[in-house]
C-alpha cells in the first residue's frame, strides 16, 4: 500500500517565493526515503506539505489512499509525525516530562500508559537526567532528542524527519541512525530530509535529490545517487576540491566525507598551474625546482602520486562492489571486484617503474 502519492505538487509562499515546483513521487508502506538538496531547495516545505501543515497550490496528493489535495484529513494526525528542523518549533511546555506526555495524552490513553511511554522515551535516548528540565534550557542536541522523543511518543506509522542528525555530536548521530534503522525494522514509513550525505545509504531505501529550482533532479537507490557525481555537483551538494600537490593539481569531489571519485582535471605536464613556492612540501619541489626537473624526475613524482592514491581507489571500488552486492547487482559486483583486484596489482607496477628510474 502506498502511504504517499504526490503528483506535480507545487507550493509558493506568500512572499512569492516558490519552494516546491511540480514534484511527483510516491512512498510505499514501510519504505525509508531520504530527501537531499541544498539550502532552500524545498525539503522542509515538502515535509510540511506531507504533514498537512501546508496545502499544495496545485497538483494532487493522496495519503493512505485518500485524497488530501485540498487539506489534511484529521485521522492522519496521529498516524504521521513531523520532527521540525528547528526543535524550538516543536517544544512549548514547561518540562521535558510534560513534552513527552503531551502527545500520548492527546490520544486519550490512560495515565499509566502515558507515563510508561514518556519513561520509555527517556530511556531510549538516555535523557532521564533531563526529565525536569525546561526544554528551552537544553543544548541544541538535547533539544533535538526531546523533539524526536515527542514524535515517537505517539507511536506514529509515519515519521517525517527534518534534519534529524544536524547539531548532534558524532555518537548521538550514530545513535539516531541506529534508531531510524530500528524504526524501519518495526515497519515504520520514514521520510528524512538531510544534508548528511554520509547517512543516506545507511538509513534509506531510496533517495530524492531536489535541485535549486525546487524540482526533483534525480531519484533512485541511495548508492546510485551517491555515485552520480555530476548530479550532486549540479544540486550543489558536493563541491570540487582542488588538491595542490606542489606542481601537479588534482581535483576531487567531496561530499563532506572521504569520497574518492577522483577526477584528474589537469596535470602539470600538459597544462602547468602555478606551483606553490613552499620549499619542503612533496619532496621540496618549488617552481624553480620543477623547471629544472628532468622528464624522468617528473615521471618518478607522478608514479609516487599514483601509488599514493591507488590504495584509496582500491578501497573505493571495493566499497561500491559491496553496495552493488547488497542491492543484488551481482554482475556489477563481479566487475567492480575485478577492477579492484586489477587496480591493486598496479601498486607493484608503480614500484617497478620507480625502481627502473632510480637505477638510471
Ligand atoms: N515561511 C516562509 N516564507 C517565505 N519563504 C519561505 C518560507 N520558508 C521557506 N521559504 C523559502 O522557500 C524556499 C524553500 O525553503 P525550505 O525551508 O523548504 O528549504 P530547505 O531545503 O529545507 O532548506 P534548508 O536546507 O536550509 O533547511 C527557500 O527559498 C526559502 O527561502
Ligand atoms: Mg529545511
Amino acid at each position: 500500500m502506498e502511504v504517499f502519492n504526490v503528483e506535480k505538487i507545487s507550493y509558493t509562499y506568500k512572499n512569492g517565493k516558490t519552494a516546491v515546483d511540480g514534484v511527483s513521487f510516491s512512498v510505499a508502506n514501510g519504505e525509508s526515503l531520504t530527501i537531499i538538496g541544498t539550502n532552500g531547495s524545498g525539503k522542509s516545505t515538502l515535509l510540511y506539505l506531507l504533514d498537512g501543515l501546508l496545502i499544495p497550490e496545485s497538483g494532487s496528493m493522496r495519503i493512505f489512499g485518500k485524497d488530501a489535495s485540498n487539506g489534511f484529513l484529521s485521522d492522519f494526525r496521529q498516524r504521521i509525525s513531523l520532527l521540525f528542523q528547528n526543535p524550538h518549533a516543536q517544544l512549548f511546555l514547561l518540562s521535558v516530562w510534560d513534552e513527552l506526555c503531551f502527545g500520548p495524552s492527546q490520544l486519550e490513553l490512560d495515565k499509566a500508559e502515558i507515563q510508561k511511554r514518556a519513561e520509555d522515551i527517556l530511556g531510549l535516548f538516555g535523557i532521564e537526567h533531563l526529565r525536569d528540565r525546561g526544554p528551552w534550557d537544553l543544548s541544541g542536541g538535547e533539544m533535538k532528542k526531546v523533539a524526536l522523543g515527542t514524535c515517537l511518543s505517539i507511536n506514529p506509522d509515519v515519521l517525517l524527519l527534518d534534519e534529524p542528525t544536524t547539531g548532534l555530536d558524532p555518537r548521538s548521530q550514530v545513535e539516531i541512525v541506529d534508531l531510524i534503522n530500528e524504526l524501519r525494522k518495526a515497519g515504520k514509513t520514514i521520510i528524512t530530509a538531510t544534508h548528511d550525505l554520509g547517512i543516506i545509504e545507511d538509513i534509506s531505501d531510496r533517495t530524492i535529490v531536489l535541485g535549486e529550482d525546487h524540482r526533483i533532479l534525480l531519484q533512485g537507490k541511495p548508492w546510485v545517487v551517491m555515485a552520480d557525481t555530476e548530479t550532486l555537483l549540479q544540486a550543489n551538494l558536493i563541491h570540487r576540491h582542488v588538491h595542490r600537490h606542489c606542481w601537479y593539481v588534482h581535483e576531487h569531489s567531496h561530499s563532506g566525507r572521504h569520497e574518492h571519485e577522483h577526477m584528474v582535471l589537469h596535470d602539470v605536464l600538459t597544462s602547468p598551474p602555478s606551483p606553490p613556492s613552499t620549499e619542503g612540501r612533496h619532496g621540496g619541489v618549488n617552481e624553480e625546482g620543477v623547471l629544472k626537473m628532468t622528464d624522468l624526475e617528473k615521471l618518478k613524482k607522478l608514479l609516487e602520486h599514483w601509488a599514493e592514491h591507488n590504495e584509496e581507489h582500491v578501497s573505493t571500488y571495493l566499497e561500491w562492489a559491496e553496495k552493488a552486492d547488497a542491492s543484488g547487482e551481482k554482475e556489477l559486483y563481479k566487475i567492480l571486484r575485478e577492477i579492484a583486484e586489477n587496480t591493486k596489482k598496479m601498486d607493484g607496477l608503480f614500484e617497478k617503474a620507480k625502481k627502473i628510474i632510480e637505477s638510471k
Side-chain angles (χ1 to χ4, degrees):
M1 208 257 283
E2 276 178 352
V3 174
F4 294 103
N5 186 309
V6 301
E7 289 283 339
K8 295 189 178 154
I9 54 167
S10 299
Y11 188 82
T12 300
Y13 284 98
K14 286 201 179 70
N15 61 359
K17 183 83 215 156
T18 294
V20 173
D21 191 3
V23 164
S24 305
F25 62 92
S26 57
V27 184
N29 191 24
E31 193 178 5
S32 178
L33 174 78
T34 36
I35 301 172
I36 59 174
T38 192
N39 292 133
S41 57
K43 303 178 297 296
S44 296
T45 307
L46 192 51
L47 294 186
Y48 298 156
L49 289 163
L50 298 178
D51 193 48
L53 292 175
L54 300 175
I55 297 173
E57 70 198 13
S58 61
S60 70
M61 184 156 82
R62 296 184 77 77
I63 305 181
F64 295 116
K66 293 184 187 167
D67 184 26
S69 313
N70 300 312
F72 202 65
L73 308 176
S74 60
D75 54 327
F76 299 156
R77 193 48 63 208
Q78 66 189 59
R79 298 185 72 184
I80 302 175
S81 194
L82 168 69
L83 172 73
F84 283 85
Q85 181 169 356
N86 177 358
H88 282 98
Q90 196 124 20
L91 306 172
F92 56 97
L93 293 169
L94 291 176
S95 72
V96 169
W97 179 256
D98 290 345
E99 291 286 358
L100 297 177
C101 291
F102 180 78
S105 69
Q106 299 302 298
L107 303 180
E108 293 172 10
L109 300 171
D110 64 47
K111 198 171 166 195
E113 174 62 19
I114 293 171
Q115 293 189 343
K116 183 180 177 307
R117 285 204 186 179
E119 287 290 357
D120 286 350
I121 302 278
L122 289 176
L124 181 67
F125 289 98
I127 52 171
E128 292 92 340
H129 58 292
L130 302 179
R131 173 193 304 260
D132 299 320
R133 295 270 301 273
W136 300 94
D137 304 333
L138 303 176
S139 76
E142 289 168 341
M143 239 187 251
K144 194 106 191 175
K145 289 181 189 173
V146 175
L148 183 52
T150 65
C151 293
L152 297 179
S153 68
I154 62 164
N155 194 18
D157 299 322
V158 181
L159 282 147
L160 307 172
L161 307 176
D162 201 350
E163 309 279 358
T165 54
T166 305
L168 296 180
D169 59 42
R171 195 183 66 187
S172 302
Q173 287 184 16
V174 171
E175 285 169 5
I176 296 297
V177 167
D178 290 346
L179 175 66
I180 291 174
N181 284 320
E182 286 300 313
L183 294 164
R184 288 169 78 186
K185 273 192 221 149
K188 305 288 180 195
T189 304
I190 304 171
I191 303 181
T192 309
T194 184
H195 283 124
D196 191 348
L197 301 191
I199 66 169
I200 66 171
E201 292 168 74
D202 293 335
I203 65 164
S204 64
D205 306 302
R206 198 154 53 90
T207 300
I208 285 179
V209 184
L210 281 183
E212 291 180 299
D213 59 357
H214 318 287
R215 293 169 165 269
I216 292 181
L217 262 181
L218 175 70
Q219 52 179 316
K221 288 180 181 168
W223 65 269
V224 175
V225 169
M226 284 303 293
D228 193 337
T229 315
E230 280 313 309
T231 302
L232 296 177
L233 280 166
Q234 192 189 337
N236 233 338
L237 283 162
I238 56 174
H239 55 279
R240 291 199 194 275
H241 181 88
V242 174
H243 287 250
R244 287 187 184 277
H245 294 281
C246 201
W247 48 275
Y248 44 89
V249 174
H250 264 194
E251 193 173 83
H252 305 244
S253 309
H254 279 253
S255 65
R257 296 194 172 205
H258 62 291
E259 292 304 317
H260 307 310
E261 287 83 16
H262 293 196
M263 289 176 295
V264 179
L265 282 197
H266 30 210
D267 139 347
V268 76
L269 299 175
T270 51
S271 161
S274 320
S277 56
T278 336
E279 198 69 65
R281 287 169 54 199
H282 281 271
V285 186
N286 60 16
E287 188 165 8
E288 205 187 334
V290 172
L291 294 176
K292 282 186 195 154
M293 281 173 103
T294 64
D295 278 350
L296 277 182
E297 282 167 336
K298 286 177 187 172
L299 178 58
K300 190 176 159 219
K301 280 280 166 204
L302 275 180
L303 286 164
E304 279 166 4
H305 181 72
W306 291 335
E308 183 195 332
H309 286 278
N310 206 47
E311 209 177 304
E312 264 178 287
H313 292 156
V314 171
S315 52
T316 301
Y317 300 138
L318 288 173
E319 271 172 36
W320 286 106
E322 292 309 316
K323 286 169 195 164
D325 190 34
S327 306
E329 304 279 355
K330 298 292 171 206
E331 172 96 36
L332 194 55
Y333 166 75
K334 270 172 53 189
I335 295 172
L336 288 170
R337 289 285 313 198
E338 203 177 325
I339 294 175
E341 274 151 30
N342 284 320
T343 309
K344 209 185 286 175
K345 282 184 206 150
M346 286 185 350
D347 249 347
L349 295 180
F350 296 132
E351 283 307 312
K352 267 189 195 167
K354 235 175 76 189
K355 280 207 179 99
I356 293 172
I357 294 167
E358 279 162 357
S359 69
K360 297 284 168 198

